Amino acid sequence: MILKVYTSLWLLFLVNSVWTRSVRQVYDDLDPDHWSHYTSECPQECFCPPSFPNALYCDNKGLKEIPPIPARIWYLYLQNNQIETLSEKPFMNATHLRWINLNKNKITNNGIESGVLSKLKRLLYLFLEDNELEEVPAPLPVGLEQLRLAKNKISKIPEGVFSHLENLTMLDLHQNSLLDSALQSDTFQGLNNLMQLNIAKNSLKKMPLSIPANTLQLFLDNNSIEVIPENYFSAIPKVTFLRLNYNKLSDDGIPPNGFNVSSILDLQLSHNQLTKIPPINAHLEHLHLDHNKIKSVNGTQICPVSIALEEDYGYYGNIPRLRYLRLDGNEIQPPIPLDIMICFRLLQAVVI
């Protein structure tokens, strides 16, 4: 399982590297004599760097409207303006857009012209953070790979809005106004390749329903979650990074083996209401339990394998892989119990 996770992450890195080299090759092949042509096409309000002819920089210009976008543009930067509307007219010729950054504007759902986003057929990255959206805009470009909607006022996710986004790998909805009722059993249906889902800083009291099965990173910090349902993680068997910091989890809200999941490598449960360390899996590498109500630690009890059995297997056996353990902000007094070190032989850092 761990090999598969690292392989997936390596493939993402490799694809991005190839993409970057391909784009740079295009720039290197440009004839400098054509730069004046690119400059003349550049909207007066924006900046068109000759060394980056597929990019248009209109950020931090005090714009209230989007200027006409030249046909050659792939990367469009419009962040930190006063833009309130998205209409079809500025994008009439922009049929090659891959990337749009509209963070920190004043865009509302009513200000988005119907169908304007879905007509951007080649768009891969859409950033709409820190705007005035009250629901996820729809319809969206079917080829999207990243959708960032953090720091809005989103309380509603329209039915089927994600159903055709099969290429989406990252969905960021953190710091919005989502309640449990906004996340139905079919809300994330269709996100077959999603790898990262961020719903931190919302108003959830329950674990969200029907997380896409391929999700690797699930961020749920700063909600009001009290209970982990039995066998919750069996539906997301690839989850590797799990963040539940700043919630209301207590010992009673965690099933006996709720976090004993072999896929999880990084588990963060800081700033909750736990009085003891929940059972963990031998594959876990990083465990954050700081600022709970834990009074003592018994290494023999929390060790995911028998210490005697561990001695028999030796270094190359199935010994626990925990490397980082954070326990500060609890009621634990040093020194670190010896049985912790006997169990977790690969520990590199313990904060207590």
Side-chain angles (χ1 to χ4, degrees):
M1 176 62 71
I2 295 173
L3 179 59
K4 291 181 180 179
V5 169
Y6 288 146
T7 301
S8 299
L9 295 175
W10 169 249
L11 286 174
L12 275 178
F13 173 77
L14 185 60
V15 169
N16 286 334
S17 299
V18 172
W19 171 270
T20 302
R21 286 198 298 270
S22 300
V23 171
R24 285 178 176 171
Q25 186 176 3
V26 171
Y27 303 150
D28 293 341
D29 291 343
L30 285 172
D31 186 344
D33 293 337
H34 294 165
W35 288 354
S36 59
H37 168 67
Y38 294 131
T39 304
S40 66
E41 270 193 329
C42 188
Q44 185 177 2
E45 310 92 328
C46 307
F47 171 60
C48 300
S51 60
F52 198 6
N54 293 104
L56 181 61
Y57 290 87
C58 307
D59 52 307
N60 296 286
K61 302 295 184 182
L63 299 180
K64 294 186 177 181
E65 296 181 351
I66 299 175
I69 311 302
R72 72 175 190 275
I73 298 303
W74 287 19
Y75 306 98
L76 177 58
Y77 298 88
L78 288 160
Q79 67 269 27
N80 293 301
N81 282 295
Q82 304 294 318
I83 297 169
E84 297 181 0
T85 60
L86 294 181
S87 62
E88 185 176 345
K89 186 177 179 180
F91 299 103
M92 291 291 290
N93 297 319
T95 57
H96 296 283
L97 277 174
R98 264 71 164 175
W99 173 301
I100 299 178
N101 189 334
L102 279 158
N103 292 345
K104 294 188 178 180
N105 278 283
K106 296 184 177 181
I107 299 167
T108 63
N109 289 96
N110 290 334
I112 301 177
E113 185 177 321
S114 178
V116 63
L117 293 173
S118 63
K119 291 178 181 178
L120 302 173
K121 303 293 185 182
R122 301 188 183 185
L123 196 65
L124 301 178
Y125 301 88
L126 177 58
F127 299 171
L128 278 165
E129 296 183 3
D130 210 345
N131 277 277
E132 303 292 331
L133 299 174
E134 295 183 356
E135 62 181 68
V136 175
L140 291 163
V142 296
L144 274 184
E145 294 182 4
Q146 288 193 15
L147 177 60
R148 298 175 184 251
L149 298 170
K151 299 181 181 179
N152 278 278
K153 302 175 182 178
I154 296 173
S155 61
K156 181 181 179 182
I157 301 178
E159 184 177 356
V161 67
F162 303 128
S163 60
H164 301 295
L165 303 186
E166 294 186 0
N167 295 327
L168 199 71
T169 59
M170 196 271 269
L171 175 59
D172 190 347
L173 288 163
H174 89 265
Q175 201 166 330
N176 276 286
S177 302
L178 292 170
L179 299 171
D180 296 319
S181 57
L183 305 180
Q184 300 298 314
S185 59
D186 59 351
T187 295
F188 301 114
Q189 185 175 349
L191 299 179
N192 299 326
N193 289 296
L194 194 71
M195 298 180 71
Q196 183 187 109
L197 177 59
N198 191 341
I199 326 179
K201 295 188 177 180
N202 278 278
S203 300
L204 304 181
K205 294 183 178 180
K206 300 178 181 178
M207 296 291 285
L209 301 172
S210 301
I211 300 297
N214 285 320
T215 303
L216 297 177
Q217 301 177 343
L218 179 58
F219 304 147
L220 292 164
D221 314 76
N222 291 90
N223 280 285
S224 298
I225 297 170
E226 299 179 355
V227 176
I228 307 294
E230 190 83 34
N231 299 319
Y232 181 84
F233 298 105
S234 62
I236 42 176
K238 297 182 180 180
V239 64
T240 306
F241 302 93
L242 177 62
R243 293 199 330 220
L244 279 159
N245 304 318
Y246 291 95
N247 276 282
K248 296 182 178 180
L249 289 171
S250 64
D251 301 329
D252 294 337
I254 301 175
N257 284 295
F259 295 119
N260 188 0
V261 181
S262 61
S263 65
I264 299 177
L265 303 183
D266 190 297
L267 176 59
Q268 300 190 19
L269 297 168
S270 304
H271 293 272
N272 278 278
Q273 300 172 14
L274 303 175
T275 65
K276 59 184 179 181
I277 298 178
I280 59 175
N281 193 271
H283 291 100
L284 187 67
E285 296 184 3
H286 296 85
L287 178 59
H288 298 247
L289 285 165
D290 55 286
H291 297 90
N292 277 274
K293 299 179 180 180
I294 301 170
K295 295 182 178 180
S296 62
V297 181
N298 187 317
T300 303
Q301 290 180 355
I302 68 171
C303 192
V305 301
S306 166
I307 291 180
L309 188 61
E310 186 180 340
E311 293 286 349
D312 293 338
Y313 277 120
Y315 187 83
Y316 297 102
N318 188 31
I319 66 171
R321 302 178 187 177
L322 194 67
R323 288 172 167 79
Y324 180 88
L325 176 61
R326 184 169 177 184
L327 291 167
D328 55 304
N330 284 283
E331 300 175 32
I332 304 168
Q333 298 297 321
I336 300 168
L338 180 60
D339 51 4
I340 290 285
M341 309 310 296
I342 293 175
C343 173
F344 302 107
R345 300 185 193 181
L346 302 181
L347 266 177
Q348 297 174 357
V350 180
V351 184
I352 194 169

